[in-house]
Amino acid sequence: MPTAEVRRAMRVQERRRFLPTEVADDHRHDAPLPIGFGQTNSQPSTVADMMTLLEPFPGMRVLDVGSGSGWTAAILGELGGPESAVFAVELVPELVERSRAAITQPWVRVHRARPGVLGLPEFAPFDRILVSAMADALPSELVDQLGADGLMVAPWRDVMHRVRLTRGEPEVTDHGGYRFVPLLHTRFRPAQ
């Protein structure tokens, strides 16, 4: 169940602002909406579930992988507040530019992903990592970017997972079936 704080942040960062004009009128639909380039803006109930699982907090250092339209990055910025640092990363250059234009918080930065690099290892460690695209397995390259007691929410093999680092070891829990666009990358090292 989404927290009141997550629901508030999603209202403040209205979905419509992050959608292309041709689908902007559908912003209240609880469904994924196309944003071009084979990508979607995730359905609000899924975003709310992921944000709640992520356990965001003020002042967090967070990575948003597959940030797409920038909506989830803006919500994370709202939840973390101006003391936080939100690093969004997206592979599609047009979506990077579009999301930079839509995000108004100076503490939220959108980076273009480098082919062959998952996440932003040069800015690690992160307190929280949100992944909004489906991987084939636990993305160990992202686990390596978590700080001590860090937490990642990511889907792989059609299931949403929460990965919590405890004394340097990842503890993985399952949180139901979900569908996402594939995680785009040219190199990916699944966990052993």
Side-chain angles (χ1 to χ4, degrees), residues 73 110 133 144 177 183:
V110 182
D144 292 345
L183 183 61

Side-chain angles (χ1 to χ4, degrees), residues 101-112:
I103 294 170
T104 58
Q105 304 130 311
W107 57 93
V108 179
R109 304 260 188 221
V110 182
H111 300 262
R112 182 167 174 203

